[in-house]
């Protein structure tokens, strides 16, 4: 199992988690390959993908852990979380906060990222031992929510997901996001079989995240 600290450092460095939802295992694998070619090497396979556990296994077999970090998303309970870990997932993401799932991941020393929507949910997730809190759906808030949440919770590592795109990702990063999650905004090209577009979009995300971080460093000098 990959050390949790290394996993979190990897997610922060890449700055984006590719959220893969697909109608078939083959399409999920092709999307994963396309985003990887575009420079996004942190990939979340959601449990809504048919045969998701086998997709996770296949990706873990295909790529060494130092080349692609594979995790599981839309994990709703601890039983599913354990099955994902046994399949090789190196981090667990959920749309909400389930304390038993957080507890299981802490037991196995695996990074866990529950979804939160309110300050109360964020407080409970942090108290439960969450490593990163996914602001979801971020489209209902906008980047200003990151600064607002980090006011009372400066220690929180926040990852907005839902509504993050290439046009606003820089704003999310500059607002103080630990990383971002991107699903359909990143992978929409796959709907028409245009995996080259998925790769190009991934490259744009990576480029704009790096640019935003460079601007932050420059402004702090």
């Amino acid at each position: 199992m990959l050390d949790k600290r290394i996993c979190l450092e990897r997610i922060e460095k890449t700055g984006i988690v590719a959220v893969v939802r697909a109608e078939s295992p083959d399409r999920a694998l092709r999307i994963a390959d396309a985003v990887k070619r575009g420079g996004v090497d942190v990939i979340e396979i959601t449990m809504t993908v048919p045969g998701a556990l086998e997709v996770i296994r296949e990706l873990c077999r295909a790529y060494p852990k130092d080349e692609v970090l594979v995790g599981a998303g839309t994990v709703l309970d601890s039983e599913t979380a354990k099955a994902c870990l046994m399949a090789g997932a190196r981090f667990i993401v959920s749309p909400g906060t389930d304390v038993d799932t957080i507890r299981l991941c802490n037991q196995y020393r695996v990074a866990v990222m529950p979804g939160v929507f309110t300050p109360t949910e964020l407080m409970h997730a942090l108290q439960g031992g969450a490593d990163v809190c996914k602001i979801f759906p971020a489209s209902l808030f906008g980047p200003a929510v990151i600064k607002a949440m980090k006011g009372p919770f400066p220690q929180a590592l926040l990852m907005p997901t839902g509504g993050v795109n290439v046009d606003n990702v820089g704003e999310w990063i500059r607002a103080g996001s630990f990383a971002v999650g991107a699903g359909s905004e990143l992978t929409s090209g796959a709907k028409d079989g245009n995996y080259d577009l998925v790769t190009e979009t991934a490259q744009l995300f990576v480029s704009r995240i790096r640019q935003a971080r460079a601007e932050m460093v420059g402004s702090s000098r």
Side-chain angles (χ1 to χ4, degrees):
M1 193 66 67
L2 188 68
D3 181 85
K4 179 192 290 193
R5 177 183 56 82
I6 295 174
C7 176
L8 293 172
E9 288 175 353
R10 177 78 165 276
I11 294 170
E12 182 178 27
K13 179 180 178 181
T14 300
I16 177 172
V17 175
V19 182
V20 177
R21 299 185 185 277
E23 297 77 15
S24 69
D26 178 68
R27 179 167 289 189
L29 290 168
R30 294 187 68 180
I31 292 173
D33 180 66
V35 298
K36 190 265 180 186
R37 285 188 283 111
V40 178
D41 58 2
V42 181
I43 299 172
E44 170 192 331
I45 302 299
T46 67
M47 289 299 100
T48 57
V49 174
L53 293 177
E54 185 53 40
V55 172
I56 291 172
R57 292 189 189 96
E58 179 61 30
L59 287 175
C60 290
R61 285 193 293 263
Y63 298 108
K65 63 184 179 182
D66 60 348
E67 188 174 339
V68 174
L69 190 64
V70 181
T74 320
V75 177
L76 305 182
D77 53 64
S78 60
E79 291 82 4
T80 303
K82 187 170 185 179
C84 292
L85 298 183
M86 296 304 101
R90 288 150 190 154
F91 61 90
I92 298 293
V93 185
S94 176
T97 298
D98 178 70
V99 174
D100 288 338
T101 297
I102 296 175
R103 187 178 297 117
L104 176 85
C105 291
N106 285 335
Q107 177 182 344
Y108 283 91
R109 297 184 59 78
V110 173
V112 58
M113 298 181 273
V116 301
F117 188 73
T118 67
T120 299
E121 292 177 357
L122 175 56
M123 183 170 64
H124 288 166
L126 293 173
Q127 290 172 344
D131 297 298
V132 177
C133 291
K134 180 175 86 168
I135 303 295
F136 178 80
S139 58
L140 298 184
F141 296 105
V145 72
I146 302 299
K147 183 178 180 180
M149 288 287 202
K150 288 184 76 70
F153 304 104
Q155 78 279 23
L157 302 180
L158 304 178
M159 183 177 74
T161 304
V164 180
N165 56 50
V166 293
D167 294 322
N168 64 25
V169 66
E171 296 178 53
W172 284 105
I173 293 298
R174 287 188 291 271
S177 300
F178 171 75
V180 302
S184 59
E185 298 86 355
L186 169 61
T187 66
S188 60
K191 292 182 179 180
D192 301 317
N194 190 347
Y195 294 97
D196 287 338
L197 178 58
V198 176
T199 296
E200 292 169 8
T201 306
Q203 291 171 334
L204 273 175
F205 265 104
V206 171
S207 174
R208 294 189 179 182
I209 289 170
R210 288 176 178 169
Q211 180 182 353
R213 286 176 168 173
E215 291 171 359
M216 291 171 67
V217 171
S219 63
S220 65
R221 290 176 179 173

